[in-house]
Amino acid sequence: MRTMLIAMGIFAATSLSAFAAEPAKMVDTKMGKVLATEEGMTLYTFDKDQDGKSNCDEKCLKNWPAFHASQGAKPEGEWTLVKDSAGKDMWAYKGKPLYTFVKDKKEGDTTGDNVGGVWHVVK
């Protein structure tokens, strides 16, 4: 019986890590459901980025803040980590680095979609 309880405890502990929360969520917007931060701020991709590499420089990041990962965050599934221009870890989804937009003020705002023809909401 004791061995079975220990085995169940080990299984439960290792299973929890397999179900780690994703760093973002889906929110409803006028454009339909989009990917957003936990606070509900819409996430965007930048056409000038390359898979696994951010090309948004320091000036760019003032308007398009990187979706930074918390310390100790681990990539999982389609979620990976890349470095922003300052060398900080930021999230990427399906290889595309993710950003918010300074002109989005509340949950569900999508004012950054198609800015300059190179910024796009993530659906």
Side-chain angles (χ1 to χ4, degrees):
M1 180 69 160
R2 181 176 173 197
T3 305
M4 181 179 256
L5 288 174
I6 292 171
M8 287 173 46
I10 291 170
F11 175 76
T14 57
S15 295
L16 288 176
S17 64
F19 297 107
E22 291 184 347
K25 65 181 184 176
M26 297 301 284
V27 297
D28 289 315
T29 71
K30 64 181 180 179
M31 300 180 68
K33 289 194 178 288
V34 300
L35 201 58
T37 66
E38 283 300 315
E39 295 79 27
M41 302 310 291
T42 300
L43 291 167
Y44 299 88
T45 57
F46 182 40
D47 286 348
K48 295 181 181 181
D49 283 344
Q50 298 165 329
D51 279 355
K53 182 177 183 334
S54 169
N55 286 315
C56 187
D57 61 20
E58 186 177 332
K59 182 179 176 186
C60 170
L61 288 172
K62 289 181 180 174
N63 289 314
W64 300 93
F67 179 38
H68 286 121
S70 59
Q71 188 171 355
K74 301 284 186 224
E76 185 174 324
E78 295 182 302
W79 292 96
T80 56
L81 296 170
V82 298
K83 301 286 186 190
D84 70 9
S85 62
K88 291 183 177 180
D89 281 337
M90 65 183 288
W91 286 110
Y93 182 67
K94 296 182 180 178
K96 299 281 191 176
L98 299 173
Y99 308 85
T100 58
F101 185 47
V102 296
K103 292 185 180 178
D104 286 349
K105 299 300 181 192
K106 64 185 184 315
E107 182 173 326
D109 281 353
T110 57
T111 60
D113 190 52
N114 210 32
V115 168
V118 295
W119 291 96
H120 310 285
V121 298
V122 183
K123 293 186 172 192

